[in-house]
Amino acid sequence: MEKPPLKIPNFIVLTLTPLLALILVPWYAFTVGFDAFAWGVFAFYMAATGLAVTAGYHRLWSHRAYEAHWTLRLWHAVWGACAMQNTILHWCADHRQHHRFVDDNDRDPYSAPKGFWHSHVGWIIRKQNNFTDDFANVKDLQRDPIVRWQHKYYLPLTIFTNAGVPLALGWWHGQLWGALLLAGLVRLVLNHHFTFFINSLAHMWGRQTYTDANTARDNGLIAFFTYGEGYHNYHHLFQWDYRNGVRWWQFDPTKWVIRLCSWLGLASQLRRPPVVQIEKARLSMQLKRALEQLEHATEPDAWRTRLEEAHRQFLAALEEFTHFRQELRLARQQFQEHLDRDRQEVKRRYAELRGELARQRQAWRLLLAELSGMELARVRA
Ligand SMILES: [Zn+2]
Ligand SMILES: [Zn+2]
């Protein structure tokens, strides 16, 4: 089959930047050397651009997993442009298409069954079917003026953040090229491929903890490089959860940052499914695997009965427990509301009585003053 034609600008960026990094960075390291300042700018850029893609492009805009204050949206829009993975609109249109038609070679833009190379980078550098070019699946995002602004000024924004800012910082610091090479170039290459891993490796290596309906995998090692996005099997089942690493110990800095932003008042309405739904999915996968093992077991029928019975009882206990906990939470909330109302009533009454006391005291004093004034007048007379 003949390959689709190359997308020249994408091809140039994606081949030239790693090549330049491989040549220029070692050369500069040997001849001049990178100082702590350059490494500091690099670290900031890694965090800002990586999180703009995961917390911004992915979880906020593609999946609407939470709401963000305009300052946070602006921040992610600017650093997202710096990541050079196309505009919010393009990225999210592709990504929503990916979730909707996952593994469908004709409709998933980075369908994993087409192979590592295609899902990693091939889909970007070759012209594909243009099913998302009309932005029909991102109409909600087009209403956001920040998203429209980023789409319009994408090119100047990428140039400004990738070259302008590091050069200005380097010039100010007295070492012109260090920050540009590390924060501009190396960071860009790393950030590109770390993100691409989510489309390639996270659909190949790892466990299918929650579903085997698609190729997505949970992989802690990939999560480490992708700011928490390696828990991709979970993500494909509960895509609007603001977390990807759903268990507290799973490495998901993106979810920690989103939660931090919510404490700071920058993010709200963080969405997550009920625990029982998540556990149900996990248990049904475990049951499925266990039943598959029965092929080699002695007395498979007895085992099947035991497994299914234990699974049923476990689920029943889980449901009852979560239901009870939910009721408890609700009761506690109602009690608190009641208490708050009472407290407010007490405060109001206290203020009312104190006001009345002050008014009576004032009246009393005025009366006494009036009386002494009268007496004074009489004495004078
Ligand atoms: Zn995926
Ligand atoms: Zn997603």
Side-chain angles (χ1 to χ4, degrees):
M1 199 179 75
E2 201 178 319
K3 281 182 178 165
L6 282 177
K7 274 183 175 171
I8 302 295
N10 294 7
F11 179 76
I12 291 175
V13 169
L14 287 171
T15 46
L16 207 61
T17 48
L19 215 66
L20 281 175
L22 278 174
I23 298 166
L24 293 179
V25 172
W27 167 75
Y28 194 82
F30 282 120
T31 53
V32 184
F34 297 105
D35 60 2
F37 180 82
W39 284 111
V41 182
F42 168 77
F44 169 81
Y45 262 67
M46 279 302 285
T49 54
L51 289 166
V53 171
T54 60
Y57 274 44
H58 188 213
R59 301 191 199 181
L60 172 68
W61 281 303
S62 294
H63 295 299
R64 314 302 304 252
Y66 62 100
E67 298 291 326
H69 190 260
W70 70 266
T71 49
L72 184 61
R73 297 204 313 275
L74 184 66
W75 176 267
H76 284 328
V78 169
W79 293 109
C82 183
M84 283 183 80
Q85 297 181 15
N86 217 332
T87 66
I88 297 165
L89 283 179
H90 276 296
W91 202 103
C92 297
D94 284 338
H95 193 68
R96 286 180 181 179
Q97 181 85 4
H98 165 66
H99 273 269
R100 188 159 171 220
F101 300 107
V102 60
D103 297 334
D104 176 339
N105 284 348
D106 296 323
R107 287 183 290 183
D108 176 353
Y110 23 92
S111 180
K114 275 190 170 175
F116 172 83
W117 186 251
H118 169 80
S119 56
H120 190 71
V121 72
W123 72 278
I124 306 170
I125 58 177
R126 288 197 179 275
K127 280 206 178 73
Q128 291 214 78
N129 31 13
N130 41 10
F131 31 57
T132 61
D133 281 359
D134 59 354
F135 299 127
N137 64 352
V138 286
K139 289 264 178 279
D140 55 319
L141 303 181
Q142 282 177 313
R143 283 196 289 274
D144 185 343
I146 291 176
V147 173
R148 291 200 305 268
W149 169 80
Q150 197 238 28
H151 196 74
K152 192 169 173 190
Y153 296 105
Y154 177 69
L155 192 63
L157 271 172
T158 58
I159 295 169
F160 175 71
T161 48
N162 276 287
V165 176
L167 272 176
L169 285 171
W171 173 78
W172 171 75
H173 177 64
Q175 210 194 47
L176 193 60
W177 301 105
L180 181 74
L181 284 176
L182 282 187
L185 193 58
V186 177
R187 182 270 322 159
L188 182 69
V189 175
L190 290 180
N191 190 249
H192 269 158
H193 291 277
F194 287 171
T195 306
F196 302 162
F197 280 154
I198 304 161
N199 299 331
S200 56
L201 293 184
H203 276 269
M204 295 170 69
W205 291 345
R207 297 161 63 90
Q208 291 179 300
T209 324
Y210 298 92
T211 176
D212 57 0
N214 57 63
T215 55
R217 299 288 201 274
D218 281 348
N219 186 318
L221 185 68
I222 297 174
F224 182 77
F225 290 104
T226 54
Y227 308 79
E229 307 265 65
Y231 298 103
H232 205 57
N233 185 258
Y234 176 81
H235 173 64
H236 265 274
L237 194 58
F238 299 104
Q239 50 172 296
W240 45 266
D241 192 331
Y242 80 95
R243 310 157 301 173
N244 279 14
V246 72
R247 327 209 87 193
W248 67 268
W249 47 266
Q250 285 176 329
F251 184 78
D252 186 357
T254 304
K255 91 180 161 192
W256 297 327
V257 165
I258 294 171
R259 210 173 297 156
L260 182 71
C261 286
S262 84
W263 291 337
L264 296 173
L266 294 169
S268 59
Q269 294 168 54
L270 277 51
R271 296 166 73 196
R272 49 201 279 180
V275 179
V276 71
Q277 255 184 46
I278 303 170
E279 284 305 296
K280 259 185 182 170
R282 208 159 64 96
L283 276 174
S284 70
M285 279 306 292
Q286 284 173 351
L287 178 68
K288 195 172 176 182
R289 289 229 176 79
L291 290 176
E292 278 164 12
Q293 279 176 28
L294 289 186
E295 283 176 28
H296 317 290
T298 48
E299 301 176 17
D301 289 339
W303 264 106
R304 179 186 305 274
T305 314
R306 281 178 70 190
L307 277 169
E308 283 172 348
E309 182 56 19
H311 177 255
R312 197 187 57 73
Q313 284 184 2
F314 187 6
L315 264 188
L318 181 70
E319 235 155 283
E320 203 176 349
F321 174 71
T322 41
H323 182 71
F324 179 75
R325 200 168 54 173
Q326 216 164 10
E327 281 192 331
L328 198 68
R329 201 172 290 157
L330 204 69
R332 209 176 275 156
Q333 201 180 337
Q334 280 169 350
F335 179 70
Q336 190 60 42
E337 274 166 19
H338 199 75
L339 213 66
D340 288 346
R341 248 202 321 276
D342 279 359
R343 205 174 285 151
Q344 266 178 358
E345 177 62 19
V346 167
K347 265 191 194 155
R348 195 190 59 76
R349 187 83 183 119
Y350 185 86
E352 195 179 275
L353 292 177
R354 211 164 77 152
E356 181 59 15
L357 180 64
R359 270 194 299 282
Q360 293 307 334
R361 183 182 287 133
Q362 184 69 0
W364 175 245
R365 281 182 183 155
L366 280 173
L367 193 65
L368 289 185
E370 200 182 331
L371 181 68
S372 63
M374 258 164 50
E375 275 183 7
L376 209 66
R378 205 168 50 216
V379 171
R380 279 189 187 147

